[in-house]
Each structure stands twice: as structure tokens, then as C-alpha cells.
Amino acid sequence: MTAKTVLWEPTLDADAQRWRETARKIAAEHFAPLAEELDREQRYPHEHIKTFVDTGLSGMLVPAEHGGSALSMTAITAVVEEVSAACASTGAILAAHTLGAVPVRLAGTEEQKRDVLGPLRSGEAISFALTEEGAGSDAAAIKCRAEADGDGYRLTGEKIYIGNGSISGRYVVFAKTDPDAGARGITAFIVAADAPGVTIDRIEDKMGIRGTRTSNLKLDNVRVEADAILGQPNRGLKLALQTLDLGRVSVAAQGLGIALAAYRLAAAEAVRRHTFGKPIIENQGIGFRLADLAVDLSAARMLTYEAARAYDAGQPVSLPGAMAKLHTSEVAHRAVDLAVQVFGGDGFCKPCPAERLYRDQRVLEIYEGSSEIQRLVLSRAVAAEHA
Ligand code: COS
């Protein structure tokens, strides 16, 4: 812990530090000033994508040989934290870019990587399309079918809650190729947004992160060639779960940003606002909650940067990622709740940023594996270790 800050600060290498500075600068200049407007108008910020392209952040996950910036997961964590602290919607848009690209990075052929990852650098997004009605937490229960058709396949079904849906140029779609084989009968396909039979007819009206676009994805007998298969046939669920392992670190980074923004707002207001002749932070009911939050947030940062470090070191990220996401999203919950409480009546009304953060935080405990799923993953690991 440095002398200057109460919160624990990660020690970053020069590269990650440089990316963090870049993210901090563009977040202050471009993202924070529009955060309230994006929320109010539920508007997707196309202009921010241009900023991502100009700075190289659109290619943060793209390997250098495909023209990308190839950031470490540690640097991505720092960037997503900074961007989310300024505007939770913009942080989520950046993280969703990561989620769709991860399965291609993990399992794509050289040609698929060139085709899909290259355009990411120039701002095209690729979305991850797994969830269906009745198959969110129970990912193996999806019903979307991919039936063999000559050299290729025909896909039929409907995906929901697609991050960056209707914005992305391509989707990684998970579909059943062997319906009787359960978890071992799912295959991942790369599907172009403009393929005949692909439609989007629902954009969600969300409680929070309202600047993001979340849609359904209907597939009506969509023909894809065999080279659209990503990774091994019938091993798509494994690929989806490996992708989510990493996606959860990004969600934890979003949580750090939201928690940090709420902590800073709450602390400044608790020092500024006086009741009964003294700043409200001097009342233990408020001051001690801020102290607990400083501890919680420091611990959340340690868990998240440790998960990112594990990934960068080639170590398994499933359990550290689950811990980071679970803890950070719940710390963010406590942080936004405290911020609203400290602002009192103002905190309950728009356009107080605490009110927006309160709504933006909630999805962290739901998407990319709910808190219950993280506890399931962790409790199974505890049981296995002690069997
Ligand atoms: N990475 C790679 N493979 C994994 C994995 C992981 N993190 N977790 C499980 N697997 C593998 C298992 O090894 C098993 O493989 P085999 O068939 O070779 O044995 C297969 O996946 C199925 O695993 P399991 O039997 O544990 O699956 P379950 O259906 O019991 O459930 C959970 C697994 C609940 C952990 C999984 O469905 C999950 O994470 N669900 C949440 C999905 C989610 O996050 N949805 C949000 C979508 S994005 S908004």
C-alpha cells in the first residue's frame, strides 16, 4: 500500500501502466461527460468505438500478428476498471468485445483469426451467443440446433441477452449438433450478422448499463459452411465455459470500476455534507461503512488482479476468476448502496450519479454466470478437494 492512497493499488508493469494512463485520459475526456446522457437516452455510443479504434483499445485482445495491441489480461483489467469508473456502459461495451473474441483466440484456425480478429482492430464487434430462454445458468440445456446439410450446417433457434447484439458484425453461436449427447453435443459456429435467416427483433429496455445494446438473435435455417465451426465439433460447451472463465475477470474489472466510482462519490459527499454541526463521515454509521468499503474494495482488487496475473502466467483462471467476479460484484453492490445512502434524497433522484451507479451495478451479479453459479463452481471445487 502506498502512503498516498487508502485503497490497495496493483503494481503494474510499464506496458499495463501506460494503457491504464491512456484509458484514464480518454475516460475523463470522452466517456465520463456522456455517461448521464447515454443512460437517460438509452443510446449506444458509436463515437466511443472510434475512440477505442484511435487509441488501439479496440484491438486490445488481438494478437500483434493480426494488427492488434495484444494487451495482457492485467492491462485489460486496468483499462476496463478505468473506463467503467467513468461510464459503466462504455466499460461493459469494451468488455463484451472481449467476450466474443475470446473463443476465436482460444480455438480459431489461423484463417478464422485473420478474418475475425483483424476487423476487431478497426472497430467491428463480435458477440458471444450462448444464452437461450430456459438455458442461462444451465448452459448445456440450449435448444438451438445445427443440422448437417451437405458440407455445412443449418442453424435454427433463438438466442437472448446478447451483449453488443445488433451492433456486432459476427456472432459466436453455440448450437446442438448431437442433441442426445448433452454437454458433449454442442458446437460453436461463427455466424455473420447479415447471413440469410439471421434476424434481431428485440432490443432490451434495461434497468442499468443503458448505453449498451442487448438483443435477441433469431436463426431461421441459417446455412453455414463447415469452416464456420470454431474449435472441435461437439466440444463447444467446453469452449464456452473457458471463454466465460476469462469473461468473468472482465466483469470483475467492471465491478471494480463501478465500486470505485461509488466509493469516491460517497467518501467526498460524506466529508462535504454536514449534519448536526459535523461532516457525516464523523458519524460512525457512515464512517465505519466507508472504512469497511475501503477494505472490501482493496480485497476485490487483489482478487481481480491476481486472476488476471494467473491468466497472463498461463495458470488456470476458472477458480480465481469465479472468486474475483463473485466478490467484486457483491462489493460493488455494497458500494452503490452506500453511495445512495450518503446522498440521501439526492441519491434517490436523477441525475445523481449514485442513482445511475445503483442501477448499473445490478447486472454484475447476473451476467456471465450469476453469483449463484460462481458459488456452485467454487463449492464443487471445495468438495472435490476434500473428497
Ligand atoms: N472450462 C472448461 N471446461 C469446463 C469448465 C470450465 N470452466 N467447467 C466445466 N467444464 C466441462 C466439464 O469438464 C465437462 O466436460 P466433459 O463433458 O468433458 O466431462 C463439461 O464442461 C460439463 O461440465 P459439468 O458437468 O460441470 O456441467 P454442468 O452442466 O453441471 O454445469 C456449470 C456447469 C454450471 C458450471 C456451467 O453450466 C456454467 O458455468 N453455467 C453458467 C453459464 C453462464 O455463465 N451463463 C451466462 C452466459 S453469458 S451472459
Side-chain angles (χ1 to χ4, degrees), residues 99 128 130-131 135-141 160-161 163 183-184 235 237-245 248 318 366-370 373-374 376-377 380:
L99 190 64
F128 181 82
L130 174 66
T131 300
S137 291
D138 186 2
I160 57 171
Y161 303 141
R184 293 185 175 207
R235 303 306 284 149
L237 184 67
K238 236 180 161 59
L239 180 59
L241 295 177
Q242 278 173 321
T243 301
L244 286 167
D245 281 348
R248 287 166 188 166
S318 183
I366 297 170
Y367 66 11
E368 296 190 37
S370 62
I373 287 293
Q374 309 315 318
L376 176 75
V377 167
R380 281 182 180 179

Short mmCIF file of all heavy atoms in Angstrom, two decimals, residues 99 128 130-131 135-141 160-161 163 183-184 235 237-245 248 318 366-370 373-374 376-377 380, ligand 1:
data_model
loop_
_atom_site.label_atom_id
_atom_site.label_comp_id
_atom_site.label_asym_id
_atom_site.label_seq_id
_atom_site.Cartn_x
_atom_site.Cartn_y
_atom_site.Cartn_z
N LEU A 99 -15.40 -10.64 -24.79
CA LEU A 99 -16.06 -11.94 -24.63
C LEU A 99 -16.24 -12.64 -25.98
O LEU A 99 -15.95 -13.83 -26.11
CB LEU A 99 -17.43 -11.73 -23.97
CG LEU A 99 -18.13 -13.01 -23.53
CD1 LEU A 99 -17.33 -13.71 -22.45
CD2 LEU A 99 -19.53 -12.71 -23.02
N PHE A 128 -20.93 -12.96 -28.30
CA PHE A 128 -20.97 -14.31 -27.76
C PHE A 128 -22.44 -14.67 -27.58
O PHE A 128 -23.15 -13.98 -26.84
CB PHE A 128 -20.23 -14.27 -26.42
CG PHE A 128 -20.12 -15.56 -25.67
CD1 PHE A 128 -19.13 -16.48 -25.99
CD2 PHE A 128 -20.97 -15.83 -24.60
CE1 PHE A 128 -19.00 -17.65 -25.25
CE2 PHE A 128 -20.85 -17.00 -23.87
CZ PHE A 128 -19.85 -17.91 -24.20
N LEU A 130 -24.75 -17.50 -26.43
CA LEU A 130 -24.95 -18.80 -25.78
C LEU A 130 -26.35 -18.90 -25.17
O LEU A 130 -27.09 -19.86 -25.43
CB LEU A 130 -23.88 -18.96 -24.67
CG LEU A 130 -23.99 -20.20 -23.77
CD1 LEU A 130 -23.75 -21.48 -24.56
CD2 LEU A 130 -22.98 -20.12 -22.61
N THR A 131 -26.74 -17.89 -24.41
CA THR A 131 -27.96 -17.95 -23.60
C THR A 131 -29.23 -18.07 -24.43
O THR A 131 -29.35 -17.46 -25.48
CB THR A 131 -28.04 -16.68 -22.71
OG1 THR A 131 -26.88 -16.66 -21.88
CG2 THR A 131 -29.28 -16.66 -21.85
N ALA A 135 -32.22 -21.51 -20.74
CA ALA A 135 -30.84 -22.02 -20.70
C ALA A 135 -29.89 -20.85 -20.51
O ALA A 135 -29.25 -20.37 -21.44
CB ALA A 135 -30.50 -22.79 -21.98
N GLY A 136 -29.87 -20.33 -19.26
CA GLY A 136 -28.94 -19.26 -18.90
C GLY A 136 -27.85 -19.87 -18.04
O GLY A 136 -26.73 -20.13 -18.50
N SER A 137 -28.20 -20.18 -16.79
CA SER A 137 -27.23 -20.83 -15.90
C SER A 137 -26.92 -22.25 -16.36
O SER A 137 -25.79 -22.71 -16.31
CB SER A 137 -27.78 -20.86 -14.47
OG SER A 137 -27.83 -19.56 -13.94
N ASP A 138 -27.97 -22.95 -16.81
CA ASP A 138 -27.79 -24.34 -17.26
C ASP A 138 -27.46 -24.33 -18.75
O ASP A 138 -28.31 -24.61 -19.61
CB ASP A 138 -29.09 -25.13 -16.99
CG ASP A 138 -28.93 -26.61 -17.29
OD1 ASP A 138 -27.82 -27.03 -17.68
OD2 ASP A 138 -29.92 -27.35 -17.15
N ALA A 139 -26.20 -23.99 -19.03
CA ALA A 139 -25.80 -23.73 -20.42
C ALA A 139 -25.96 -24.96 -21.32
O ALA A 139 -26.23 -24.83 -22.52
CB ALA A 139 -24.36 -23.23 -20.44
N ALA A 140 -25.83 -26.16 -20.74
CA ALA A 140 -25.92 -27.37 -21.56
C ALA A 140 -27.35 -27.63 -22.05
O ALA A 140 -27.58 -28.48 -22.92
CB ALA A 140 -25.42 -28.58 -20.76
N ALA A 141 -28.32 -26.88 -21.50
CA ALA A 141 -29.74 -27.11 -21.86
C ALA A 141 -30.19 -26.34 -23.09
O ALA A 141 -31.38 -26.29 -23.38
CB ALA A 141 -30.63 -26.76 -20.66
N ILE A 160 -30.79 -15.17 -26.62
CA ILE A 160 -31.25 -13.92 -25.98
C ILE A 160 -30.12 -13.30 -25.15
O ILE A 160 -29.10 -13.94 -24.89
CB ILE A 160 -32.50 -14.17 -25.10
CG1 ILE A 160 -32.20 -15.24 -24.02
CG2 ILE A 160 -33.68 -14.58 -25.94
CD1 ILE A 160 -33.32 -15.36 -22.97
N TYR A 161 -30.38 -12.05 -24.76
CA TYR A 161 -29.43 -11.29 -23.93
C TYR A 161 -28.03 -11.24 -24.53
O TYR A 161 -27.03 -11.52 -23.85
CB TYR A 161 -29.38 -11.85 -22.49
CG TYR A 161 -30.71 -11.89 -21.80
CD1 TYR A 161 -31.06 -12.96 -20.98
CD2 TYR A 161 -31.63 -10.86 -21.97
CE1 TYR A 161 -32.30 -13.00 -20.34
CE2 TYR A 161 -32.87 -10.89 -21.35
CZ TYR A 161 -33.19 -11.96 -20.54
OH TYR A 161 -34.41 -12.00 -19.93
N GLY A 163 -24.92 -9.42 -25.62
CA GLY A 163 -24.20 -8.16 -25.43
C GLY A 163 -23.67 -7.65 -26.77
O GLY A 163 -23.12 -8.44 -27.54
N ALA A 183 -24.00 -32.27 -22.77
CA ALA A 183 -22.91 -31.28 -22.77
C ALA A 183 -21.87 -31.57 -23.85
O ALA A 183 -21.13 -30.68 -24.27
CB ALA A 183 -22.25 -31.27 -21.40
N ARG A 184 -21.83 -32.84 -24.30
CA ARG A 184 -20.84 -33.20 -25.32
C ARG A 184 -21.41 -33.21 -26.73
O ARG A 184 -20.89 -33.89 -27.61
CB ARG A 184 -20.23 -34.56 -24.99
CG ARG A 184 -19.40 -34.50 -23.73
CD ARG A 184 -18.71 -35.82 -23.48
NE ARG A 184 -17.82 -35.69 -22.33
CZ ARG A 184 -16.75 -36.44 -22.16
NH1 ARG A 184 -16.43 -37.35 -23.04
NH2 ARG A 184 -16.00 -36.27 -21.10
N ARG A 235 -17.55 -30.07 -28.94
CA ARG A 235 -16.82 -29.64 -27.74
C ARG A 235 -17.04 -28.15 -27.47
O ARG A 235 -16.24 -27.48 -26.80
CB ARG A 235 -15.31 -29.95 -27.87
CG ARG A 235 -15.00 -31.41 -28.14
CD ARG A 235 -15.62 -32.37 -27.13
NE ARG A 235 -14.94 -32.41 -25.85
CZ ARG A 235 -15.55 -32.65 -24.68
NH1 ARG A 235 -16.86 -32.83 -24.63
NH2 ARG A 235 -14.86 -32.69 -23.57
N LEU A 237 -19.31 -26.61 -25.67
CA LEU A 237 -19.65 -26.15 -24.31
C LEU A 237 -18.37 -25.85 -23.53
O LEU A 237 -18.27 -24.86 -22.80
CB LEU A 237 -20.51 -27.17 -23.56
CG LEU A 237 -20.95 -26.67 -22.18
CD1 LEU A 237 -21.93 -25.49 -22.31
CD2 LEU A 237 -21.59 -27.76 -21.34
N LYS A 238 -17.39 -26.73 -23.71
CA LYS A 238 -16.10 -26.52 -23.03
C LYS A 238 -15.51 -25.17 -23.43
O LYS A 238 -15.00 -24.41 -22.60
CB LYS A 238 -15.15 -27.65 -23.44
CG LYS A 238 -14.59 -28.42 -22.27
CD LYS A 238 -13.65 -29.51 -22.75
CE LYS A 238 -12.74 -29.96 -21.64
NZ LYS A 238 -13.39 -30.47 -20.46
N LEU A 239 -15.60 -24.88 -24.74
CA LEU A 239 -15.07 -23.61 -25.25
C LEU A 239 -15.84 -22.43 -24.64
O LEU A 239 -15.25 -21.42 -24.25
CB LEU A 239 -15.17 -23.60 -26.78
CG LEU A 239 -14.66 -22.36 -27.49
CD1 LEU A 239 -13.17 -22.12 -27.19
CD2 LEU A 239 -14.86 -22.50 -29.01
N ALA A 240 -17.17 -22.59 -24.55
CA ALA A 240 -17.98 -21.52 -23.96
C ALA A 240 -17.58 -21.30 -22.50
O ALA A 240 -17.43 -20.15 -22.05
CB ALA A 240 -19.47 -21.88 -24.05
N LEU A 241 -17.37 -22.38 -21.77
CA LEU A 241 -17.06 -22.24 -20.35
C LEU A 241 -15.65 -21.68 -20.14
O LEU A 241 -15.42 -20.88 -19.23
CB LEU A 241 -17.24 -23.58 -19.62
CG LEU A 241 -18.70 -24.09 -19.60
CD1 LEU A 241 -18.81 -25.45 -18.92
CD2 LEU A 241 -19.65 -23.10 -18.93
N GLN A 242 -14.73 -22.06 -21.04
CA GLN A 242 -13.37 -21.47 -20.96
C GLN A 242 -13.43 -19.97 -21.24
O GLN A 242 -12.72 -19.18 -20.62
CB GLN A 242 -12.46 -22.10 -22.01
CG GLN A 242 -11.89 -23.43 -21.59
CD GLN A 242 -11.14 -24.08 -22.75
OE1 GLN A 242 -11.55 -24.01 -23.90
NE2 GLN A 242 -10.02 -24.70 -22.44
N THR A 243 -14.29 -19.61 -22.19
CA THR A 243 -14.45 -18.19 -22.53
C THR A 243 -15.01 -17.43 -21.34
O THR A 243 -14.54 -16.35 -20.98
CB THR A 243 -15.40 -18.05 -23.75
OG1 THR A 243 -14.84 -18.78 -24.83
CG2 THR A 243 -15.62 -16.60 -24.13
N LEU A 244 -16.03 -18.02 -20.71
CA LEU A 244 -16.66 -17.35 -19.56
C LEU A 244 -15.68 -17.24 -18.39
O LEU A 244 -15.71 -16.26 -17.64
CB LEU A 244 -17.92 -18.10 -19.14
CG LEU A 244 -19.10 -17.90 -20.11
CD1 LEU A 244 -20.21 -18.91 -19.84
CD2 LEU A 244 -19.66 -16.48 -20.01
N ASP A 245 -14.78 -18.22 -18.26
CA ASP A 245 -13.76 -18.14 -17.20
C ASP A 245 -13.02 -16.81 -17.30
O ASP A 245 -12.76 -16.13 -16.30
CB ASP A 245 -12.74 -19.28 -17.33
CG ASP A 245 -13.27 -20.59 -16.77
OD1 ASP A 245 -14.31 -20.58 -16.09
OD2 ASP A 245 -12.63 -21.63 -17.03
N ARG A 248 -15.28 -13.57 -16.91
CA ARG A 248 -15.60 -13.22 -15.52
C ARG A 248 -14.55 -12.30 -14.92
O ARG A 248 -14.86 -11.48 -14.03
CB ARG A 248 -15.78 -14.51 -14.70
CG ARG A 248 -17.09 -15.19 -15.07
CD ARG A 248 -17.23 -16.61 -14.60
NE ARG A 248 -18.44 -17.19 -15.19
CZ ARG A 248 -18.73 -18.48 -15.22
NH1 ARG A 248 -17.89 -19.35 -14.69
NH2 ARG A 248 -19.85 -18.90 -15.78
N SER A 318 -10.15 -20.43 -13.88
CA SER A 318 -11.53 -20.71 -13.54
C SER A 318 -11.87 -20.33 -12.09
O SER A 318 -12.82 -19.56 -11.84
CB SER A 318 -11.80 -22.20 -13.77
OG SER A 318 -13.12 -22.48 -13.52
N ILE A 366 -25.46 -10.91 -12.20
CA ILE A 366 -26.30 -11.77 -13.04
C ILE A 366 -25.56 -12.28 -14.28
O ILE A 366 -25.52 -13.48 -14.53
CB ILE A 366 -27.58 -10.99 -13.47
CG1 ILE A 366 -28.41 -10.62 -12.23
CG2 ILE A 366 -28.41 -11.82 -14.45
CD1 ILE A 366 -29.55 -9.65 -12.49
N TYR A 367 -24.94 -11.34 -15.05
CA TYR A 367 -24.40 -11.84 -16.34
C TYR A 367 -23.04 -12.52 -16.23
O TYR A 367 -22.33 -12.35 -15.26
CB TYR A 367 -24.50 -10.82 -17.45
CG TYR A 367 -23.71 -9.52 -17.47
CD1 TYR A 367 -22.66 -9.23 -16.60
CD2 TYR A 367 -24.02 -8.58 -18.45
CE1 TYR A 367 -21.97 -8.04 -16.70
CE2 TYR A 367 -23.34 -7.38 -18.56
CZ TYR A 367 -22.31 -7.12 -17.67
OH TYR A 367 -21.63 -5.95 -17.77
N GLU A 368 -22.78 -13.32 -17.25
CA GLU A 368 -21.57 -14.15 -17.35
C GLU A 368 -21.40 -15.09 -16.14
O GLU A 368 -20.30 -15.32 -15.67
CB GLU A 368 -20.34 -13.28 -17.60
CG GLU A 368 -20.47 -12.58 -18.95
CD GLU A 368 -19.24 -11.89 -19.43
OE1 GLU A 368 -18.14 -12.41 -19.19
OE2 GLU A 368 -19.38 -10.83 -20.06
N GLY A 369 -22.53 -15.58 -15.69
CA GLY A 369 -22.53 -16.50 -14.55
C GLY A 369 -22.97 -15.74 -13.32
O GLY A 369 -22.22 -14.89 -12.81
N SER A 370 -24.18 -16.02 -12.84
CA SER A 370 -24.71 -15.32 -11.66
C SER A 370 -23.85 -15.63 -10.43
O SER A 370 -23.02 -16.56 -10.44
CB SER A 370 -26.14 -15.82 -11.40
OG SER A 370 -26.09 -17.21 -11.13
N ILE A 373 -24.05 -19.18 -9.61
CA ILE A 373 -23.19 -20.06 -10.41
C ILE A 373 -21.74 -20.00 -9.92
O ILE A 373 -21.05 -21.03 -9.84
CB ILE A 373 -23.30 -19.71 -11.92
CG1 ILE A 373 -24.65 -20.18 -12.47
CG2 ILE A 373 -22.15 -20.33 -12.73
CD1 ILE A 373 -24.86 -21.69 -12.50
N GLN A 374 -21.27 -18.80 -9.55
CA GLN A 374 -19.89 -18.72 -9.04
C GLN A 374 -19.75 -19.55 -7.76
O GLN A 374 -18.76 -20.25 -7.54
CB GLN A 374 -19.46 -17.27 -8.76
CG GLN A 374 -19.70 -16.28 -9.89
CD GLN A 374 -19.26 -16.79 -11.25
OE1 GLN A 374 -18.21 -17.41 -11.39
NE2 GLN A 374 -20.08 -16.56 -12.26
N LEU A 376 -21.58 -22.11 -7.02
CA LEU A 376 -21.66 -23.52 -7.42
C LEU A 376 -20.29 -24.02 -7.89
O LEU A 376 -19.82 -25.09 -7.45
CB LEU A 376 -22.70 -23.66 -8.54
CG LEU A 376 -22.86 -25.04 -9.15
CD1 LEU A 376 -23.64 -25.94 -8.19
CD2 LEU A 376 -23.61 -24.98 -10.48
N VAL A 377 -19.64 -23.23 -8.74
CA VAL A 377 -18.32 -23.61 -9.26
C VAL A 377 -17.34 -23.76 -8.10
O VAL A 377 -16.60 -24.75 -8.00
CB VAL A 377 -17.82 -22.54 -10.27
CG1 VAL A 377 -16.35 -22.72 -10.60
CG2 VAL A 377 -18.67 -22.56 -11.56
N ARG A 380 -18.23 -26.76 -5.73
CA ARG A 380 -17.84 -28.05 -6.32
C ARG A 380 -16.32 -28.27 -6.18
O ARG A 380 -15.87 -29.39 -5.94
CB ARG A 380 -18.20 -28.08 -7.81
CG ARG A 380 -19.66 -28.36 -8.07
CD ARG A 380 -19.89 -28.40 -9.57
NE ARG A 380 -21.27 -28.67 -9.91
CZ ARG A 380 -21.73 -28.74 -11.17
NH1 ARG A 380 -20.89 -28.57 -12.18
NH2 ARG A 380 -22.98 -28.99 -11.41
N1 COS B 1 -13.71 -24.80 -18.55
C1 COS B 1 -13.69 -25.82 -19.44
N2 COS B 1 -14.50 -26.89 -19.35
C2 COS B 1 -15.36 -26.91 -18.32
C3 COS B 1 -15.45 -25.89 -17.36
C4 COS B 1 -14.56 -24.79 -17.49
N3 COS B 1 -14.59 -23.78 -16.64
N4 COS B 1 -16.40 -26.20 -16.45
C5 COS B 1 -16.90 -27.40 -16.84
N5 COS B 1 -16.27 -27.81 -17.97
C6 COS B 1 -16.51 -29.03 -18.72
C7 COS B 1 -16.54 -30.25 -17.85
O1 COS B 1 -15.23 -30.77 -17.65
C8 COS B 1 -17.41 -31.19 -18.64
O2 COS B 1 -16.62 -31.72 -19.69
P1 COS B 1 -16.69 -33.27 -20.10
O3 COS B 1 -18.01 -33.41 -20.81
O4 COS B 1 -15.53 -33.46 -20.96
O5 COS B 1 -16.64 -34.03 -18.82
C9 COS B 1 -18.43 -30.23 -19.28
O6 COS B 1 -17.80 -28.95 -19.32
C10 COS B 1 -19.72 -30.13 -18.50
O7 COS B 1 -19.37 -29.81 -17.17
P2 COS B 1 -20.34 -30.03 -15.95
O8 COS B 1 -20.79 -31.47 -15.94
O9 COS B 1 -19.70 -29.48 -14.73
O10 COS B 1 -21.57 -29.13 -16.41
P3 COS B 1 -22.89 -28.71 -15.65
O11 COS B 1 -23.95 -28.73 -16.69
O12 COS B 1 -23.07 -29.45 -14.39
O13 COS B 1 -22.67 -27.16 -15.24
C11 COS B 1 -21.75 -25.01 -14.98
C12 COS B 1 -21.55 -26.43 -15.41
C13 COS B 1 -22.94 -24.77 -14.10
C14 COS B 1 -20.51 -24.61 -14.23
C15 COS B 1 -21.90 -24.22 -16.28
O14 COS B 1 -23.09 -24.61 -16.95
C16 COS B 1 -21.90 -22.73 -16.11
O15 COS B 1 -20.86 -22.11 -15.90
N6 COS B 1 -23.08 -22.12 -16.23
C17 COS B 1 -23.21 -20.70 -16.27
C18 COS B 1 -23.24 -20.25 -17.66
C19 COS B 1 -23.14 -18.79 -17.74
O16 COS B 1 -22.21 -18.19 -17.24
N7 COS B 1 -24.10 -18.19 -18.46
C20 COS B 1 -24.08 -16.82 -18.74
C21 COS B 1 -23.93 -16.69 -20.23
S1 COS B 1 -23.15 -15.27 -20.78
S2 COS B 1 -24.29 -13.77 -20.30
#
